[in-house]
Amino acid sequence: MKYHIWTEGCQMNVADSQRVGSALEHLGYSHTEQIESADVIVMNTCVVRQSAEDKAYGRLSSLKPLKQKNPGLVINLMGCLVGVRGHEKLKATFPYVDVFSPPSDPGPLVSHLTQGEIRSNEDAETTRRFLAMDEELILPVAERDKLVSAHVPIVYGCSHACTYCIIPYKRGVERSRPVGDIVNEVRSLAAQGVMEVTLLGQIVDRYGKDIPDGPNLAELLKLVSEVDGIQRVRFLTSHPNYFGDELIEAIANLPKVMPHIELPIQAGDDTVLQNMRRGYSQQDYRDIVAKIRERIPDCSIATDIIVGFPGETEEQFLQTYKVLEDLKLDVAHLARYSMREGTVATRRMQDDVGDEEKMRRFRLLEDLQENIVADINARYLGQTVQVLFEEKVKGRWRGRTPTNKLVFVESNENLQGRLVAVQITWTGPWSMQANLLTQVTPIVL
Ligand code: SAH
């Protein structure tokens, strides 16, 4: 009995797919890369933009002939295409899909495969308890003792209604996981060889706000970094409104918490920010960046930007350009505004920036950012940095610096899961190359 999982979208989906794989292996299935030979196919989908949604529909259609050839095949559609608010329409359009699962919930699939052994059909908690997943997460076999860096969801859903964003509708209200579950999961990951964890939430710095007397993100970071075997802790995505001093202090003071922050600005013009209902001004954002840099001088900062939001004028766009030009951030994830059904922006605003204009603005920011990051990375040339190596790709070992820069090293030694000092010999905007400095011995912290 074999399973195959296709994953599209954010890191949360990657983590969710890992859970599904783990659940399936618990039930006796084994993983296959070959979709044709699978008995169970999971499509874990994303709908944050139209392009992602189109991809999911394309993939889904390509499964129809497989199902016709093999009626016993179980097809599980999961993730944001399904969402938390019912899936009657999808069911009618794709009658060959057997199981529909909301994001982060292996429940319906497990229930289907165990034919009612687990009663409640859409109850993630029951499933997790059945599979003992709150106690520990047994990684799928393919990743056990090989996975160096794992993603750990700490906040499910999102309750912050940015006008353009479909995620709150698809992932439901914000729910923080109990701290004990998170720490237990990190312990079990460490026991399986994981050295770095990235804590995940749509607005990760809101962690714990829905749990009375529970810890906040700063306190959680401390608890997680105390887990034996864990060498590095990261977290994403942060929202400027909740990025407070206590969190900055935690990053500055906890040596295992890496100096890298994902802090989306989305736009650099105050009117656009208001129309997006982000809740801060461009100056607020600049102030936070200044504060981070003052306290954590070597910190890298990534941001997200949407170009062509409804009503965005050339002048407003140029404000965004200027913020990026001034702040010189390490990464800018750029997106062209995409209308999402049901959102406030779609209901109340005109998608009035044309496709070509969106593309032009996208390219302008892309070029600007490429130059900025090339300059930032050039400063690493000749420097010695600690790199945690994850895997060998096309003959070269791939790892990351504390600031999340990609580093490649040619070496015949096995560097997987090694945290070693390297000297940077070449830098470009997207990656760096390095030489090993010394003989490789694992660094014990
Ligand atoms: N929760 C995070 C972002 C998660 S979605 C936050 O608060 O910022 C990932 C990114 O997709 C967003 O940061 C945004 O830049 C982009 N995005 C979301 N909705 C979009 C839309 N309708 N069109 C284009 N990009 C969008």
Side-chain angles (χ1 to χ4, degrees):
M1 301 281 272
K2 298 214 158 70
Y3 73 92
H4 179 89
I5 304 185
W6 177 82
T7 308
E8 180 65 24
C10 62
Q11 283 94 339
M12 191 68 93
N13 269 5
V14 174
D16 290 346
S17 289
Q18 209 160 50
R19 280 185 156 55
V20 175
S22 171
L24 287 170
E25 292 188 9
H26 186 92
L27 298 176
Y29 290 82
S30 58
H31 177 258
T32 176
E33 283 295 329
Q34 264 91 45
I35 197 161
E36 298 80 14
S37 62
D39 304 284
V40 176
I41 299 175
V42 182
M43 310 244 86
N44 197 358
T45 55
C46 168
V47 296
V48 73
R49 285 177 286 275
Q50 190 62 47
S51 51
E53 189 169 340
D54 291 345
K55 222 187 239 177
Y57 281 126
R59 273 290 168 133
L60 202 48
S61 303
S62 75
L63 296 185
K64 198 174 176 183
L66 281 183
K67 180 76 176 183
Q68 278 164 345
K69 229 175 9 188
N70 172 13
L73 172 68
V74 174
I75 297 179
N76 175 209
L77 185 64
M78 186 184 183
C80 287
L81 191 59
V82 179
V84 293
R85 294 186 172 182
H87 48 262
E88 292 313 312
K89 245 165 123 185
L90 279 173
K91 217 170 176 168
T93 319
F94 299 101
Y96 55 93
V97 171
D98 301 275
V99 192
F100 295 85
S101 311
S104 307
D105 188 0
L109 179 60
V110 172
S111 170
H112 181 90
L113 296 173
T114 55
Q115 292 174 353
E117 255 176 73
I118 299 174
R119 290 271 162 66
S120 73
N121 203 20
E122 301 200 329
D123 183 356
E125 287 310 310
T126 316
T127 311
R128 288 205 194 92
R129 243 173 282 131
F130 170 77
L131 299 168
M133 285 168 103
D134 276 346
E135 311 305 318
E136 52 180 8
L137 177 68
I138 310 291
L139 287 169
V141 170
E143 289 171 323
R144 221 171 287 163
D145 300 319
K146 294 184 198 94
L147 191 71
V148 174
S149 178
H151 294 106
V152 177
I154 65 167
V155 192
Y156 294 114
C158 183
S159 298
H160 194 111
C162 299
T163 53
Y164 51 83
C165 192
I166 192 82
I167 293 175
Y169 303 94
K170 295 298 181 178
R171 290 192 171 266
V173 295
E174 181 178 84
R175 286 106 59 207
S176 296
R177 282 179 79 189
V179 60
D181 290 358
I182 296 168
V183 172
N184 282 343
E185 181 169 314
V186 172
R187 281 204 190 105
S188 73
L189 288 169
Q192 294 165 86
V194 166
M195 296 173 73
E196 174 181 273
V197 286
T198 303
L199 310 181
L200 300 179
Q202 291 302 330
I203 301 189
V204 73
D205 40 355
R206 278 187 57 84
Y207 174 75
K209 291 200 188 293
D210 55 335
I211 303 181
D213 306 322
N216 59 22
L217 180 61
E219 290 155 340
L220 180 67
L221 286 172
K222 180 161 188 294
L223 293 172
V224 168
S225 65
E226 282 165 359
V227 171
D228 276 349
I230 293 299
Q231 311 279 12
R232 287 180 165 189
V233 183
R234 301 181 185 276
F235 59 96
L236 54 87
T237 302
S238 299
H239 188 292
N241 284 7
Y242 310 100
F243 210 86
D245 293 347
E246 198 186 341
L247 186 52
I248 296 178
E249 283 308 307
I251 305 163
N253 293 328
L254 296 167
K256 290 184 188 175
V257 176
M258 293 294 108
H260 174 76
I261 297 166
E262 303 259 346
L263 194 68
I265 183 171
Q266 307 298 4
D269 177 85
D270 287 345
T271 304
V272 176
L273 283 170
Q274 265 168 24
N275 292 341
M276 290 176 161
R277 275 203 215 135
R278 286 292 289 177
Y280 52 84
S281 67
Q282 57 93 23
Q283 189 58 48
D284 294 335
Y285 188 89
R286 287 175 190 261
D287 292 346
I288 296 169
V289 168
K291 208 191 265 181
I292 293 168
R293 286 179 168 163
E294 193 185 310
R295 190 65 185 90
I296 316 164
D298 56 348
C299 196
S300 69
I301 300 175
T303 200
D304 292 9
I305 286 176
I306 298 174
V307 296
F309 185 79
E312 186 187 65
T313 63
E314 176 70 6
E315 210 180 351
Q316 290 169 336
F317 163 70
L318 288 174
Q319 291 293 316
T320 302
Y321 190 95
K322 185 154 182 357
V323 171
L324 270 195
E325 196 176 34
D326 290 347
L327 291 182
K328 301 198 190 322
L329 305 175
D330 294 80
V331 181
H333 305 289
L334 306 174
R336 287 165 284 157
Y337 172 71
S338 168
M339 225 163 53
R340 306 283 64 209
E341 201 186 317
T343 59
V344 172
T346 297
R347 283 185 274 129
R348 302 207 193 134
M349 302 172 202
Q350 277 275 322
D351 183 15
D352 55 2
V353 181
D355 287 347
E356 268 178 42
E357 181 56 21
K358 281 180 188 162
M359 199 57 195
R360 188 186 69 90
R361 292 178 189 181
F362 181 96
R363 291 243 162 85
L364 280 169
L365 294 187
E366 197 176 44
D367 287 350
L368 169 69
Q369 187 58 29
E370 183 169 342
N371 289 325
I372 290 171
V373 70
D375 285 349
I376 294 175
N377 289 357
R379 283 187 241 136
Y380 283 72
L381 196 63
Q383 303 242 1
T384 300
V385 284
Q386 296 285 336
V387 171
L388 177 60
F389 287 96
E390 291 171 35
E391 59 178 342
K392 201 167 191 174
V393 193
K394 292 182 189 149
R396 297 186 305 168
W397 287 99
R398 197 194 66 176
R400 288 187 183 269
T401 66
T403 50
N404 212 35
K405 306 282 183 188
L406 257 186
V407 176
F408 289 96
V409 160
E410 274 179 44
S411 168
N412 292 327
E413 293 179 78
N414 181 4
L415 296 181
Q416 180 147 356
R418 299 293 184 88
L419 183 58
V420 290
V422 303
Q423 187 170 40
I424 304 294
T425 55
W426 176 89
T427 70
W430 318 125
S431 70
M432 305 178 182
Q433 284 167 27
N435 288 334
L436 295 181
L437 273 183
T438 47
Q439 200 133 34
V440 181
T441 45
I443 292 180
V444 182
L445 289 179

